[in-house]
Amino acid sequence: MADSYLFIINPSSGTSIGQHPEKISNAIENFVKNKGGISQIIFTEGRGHATELVKENLDKENWKAVVAVGGDGTVNEVAKALVNRSTPLGILALGSGNGLARHLGLPLKLDAGLKSLFAGSINTIDSAELNGIPFFCTAGMGFDAYVGDLFSKQNSRGLATYLSVSLKSYWNYKPQTYTLNGKKIEVFSLSFANAGQYGNNAWVAPQASLFDGLLDVCTIIPFPKWYGSNLTYRLFTKTLKPSKYISYQLAQDAVVEADKPPMIHYDGEPLQLETTRIEIKIKPKSLRVIV
């Protein structure tokens, strides 16, 4: 009996899908057919739709995999419907940042991604939650959430736009004060890393593992403006490490208290919270992924 694959395509992801959605859909269909498989392809129509589509279709067929076609936001929406389910997640990384795919060493081109999907094996990775919101790569608050919110409002995507927004934001951003596990701290950014990077090979926690049942908590405290270039260099060369301004700790869970509801990000998606208390926890070995 032929294997069936469900592909969820976000036509708004990255820079390539929106320009050629039918071309990508046809390429997927032809590839799967040539491999003797059956494909069902569905396009999303807005934020949150991918999760709904997976929930609606998951039990209709014995899927070999449910495949997210897009970036980290699409992966997040598809994956959250597969947590603690036997059906594995496949990733065709065609988004802007592709943080989880990069951490897993997956290809960033469609043809290579399809070959990897069919040749790969299933690994079971950790996932995490922030106030009940699942995330699989990173989540946090501070500068990264501030930039993520501004980036989400831009007309263009990609690394160049992200760096441009980051640079403009850097000069007027004001550090925030939080209470982390009972200790009050002023921070530039506070990150909870399940995977090691935000996306675009910006490695906030190079040592992070998806298999250790722990989150890497990266705290960056306020620093002199001149230090920003050093920080950026280390971020993109996978050499960020503890220093006068940067500290790491491993945790299964954490509690953050803020003076006012903060802007947070999870897997690159910004979100304005309505509460001042943030609870983060790891969910060990909770998602099956084709790698």
Side-chain angles (χ1 to χ4, degrees), residues 109-148:
K109 299 289 186 182
L110 181 60
D111 289 347
L114 284 165
K115 290 174 183 175
S116 175
L117 178 67
F118 276 76
S121 58
I122 298 172
N123 284 253
T124 305
I125 67 170
D126 303 333
S127 67
E129 287 184 347
L130 184 153
N131 282 9
I133 302 167
F135 68 93
F136 306 89
C137 209
T138 60
M141 55 210 72
F143 182 73
D144 311 303
Y146 179 70
V147 171

Side-chain angles (χ1 to χ4, degrees), residues 8-290:
I8 306 294
I9 301 179
N10 179 0
S12 300
S13 268
T15 56
S16 61
I17 301 181
Q19 297 171 5
H20 311 287
E22 297 305 323
K23 182 179 178 182
I24 289 170
S25 175
N26 290 337
I28 291 171
E29 189 173 9
N30 290 334
F31 188 95
V32 176
K33 187 176 181 180
N34 289 336
K35 288 289 184 179
I38 299 169
S39 60
Q40 180 175 341
I41 299 171
I42 311 177
F43 287 91
T44 63
E45 297 175 0
R47 190 168 180 173
H49 193 209
T51 306
E52 294 175 21
L53 290 172
V54 179
K55 289 179 178 178
E56 288 171 7
N57 290 278
L58 189 57
D59 296 324
K60 290 181 179 179
E61 184 80 39
N62 184 24
W63 305 108
K64 185 76 172 178
V66 177
V67 186
V69 186
D72 284 319
T74 310
V75 170
N76 178 284
E77 289 191 14
V78 172
K80 68 174 62 171
L82 298 175
V83 170
N84 294 325
R85 299 295 297 257
S86 60
T87 305
L89 168 74
I91 301 173
L92 292 179
L94 301 180
S96 299
N98 304 307
L100 186 60
R102 290 177 192 268
H103 183 107
L104 291 169
L106 296 175
L108 304 182
K109 299 289 186 182
L110 181 60
D111 289 347
L114 284 165
K115 290 174 183 175
S116 175
L117 178 67
F118 276 76
S121 58
I122 298 172
N123 284 253
T124 305
I125 67 170
D126 303 333
S127 67
E129 287 184 347
L130 184 153
N131 282 9
I133 302 167
F135 68 93
F136 306 89
C137 209
T138 60
M141 55 210 72
F143 182 73
D144 311 303
Y146 179 70
V147 171
D149 181 46
L150 294 176
F151 178 66
S152 70
K153 297 171 183 174
Q154 304 302 306
N155 293 324
S156 59
R157 307 289 286 175
L159 179 59
T161 302
Y162 186 83
L163 290 176
S164 174
V165 171
S166 298
L167 186 61
K168 291 176 183 176
S169 304
Y170 177 70
W171 298 103
N172 55 26
Y173 175 75
K174 292 181 174 58
Q176 305 293 304
T177 300
Y178 302 114
T179 300
L180 173 62
N181 295 333
K183 182 181 178 181
K184 196 166 189 176
I185 50 171
E186 186 181 25
V187 304
F188 177 77
S189 75
L190 179 59
S191 302
F192 300 91
N194 185 39
Q197 62 165 279
Y198 298 128
N200 283 312
N201 281 328
W203 291 87
V204 66
Q207 69 287 347
S209 168
L210 288 164
F211 307 98
D212 62 357
L214 295 165
L215 290 166
D216 288 60
V217 184
C218 177
T219 305
I220 303 179
I221 64 173
F223 50 81
K225 289 297 183 184
W226 60 262
Y227 185 76
S229 57
N230 181 288
L231 180 66
T232 303
Y233 173 78
R234 291 191 174 278
L235 196 65
F236 284 97
T237 55
K238 207 177 179 179
T239 56
L240 206 63
K241 59 184 180 180
S243 70
K244 183 178 179 180
Y245 307 110
I246 303 167
S247 63
Y248 289 97
Q249 63 187 91
L250 294 173
Q252 291 179 318
D253 51 59
V255 176
V256 179
E257 297 274 4
D259 295 331
K260 59 182 181 180
M263 174 71 69
I264 61 101
H265 72 89
Y266 62 95
D267 290 348
E269 298 296 314
L271 177 66
Q272 176 61 56
L273 293 184
E274 296 180 355
T275 178
T276 57
R277 181 180 173 87
I278 304 99
E279 298 181 3
I280 303 98
K281 63 180 180 180
I282 194 77
K283 299 187 72 174
K285 295 180 171 57
S286 53
L287 180 69
R288 304 181 82 213
V289 184
I290 298 177

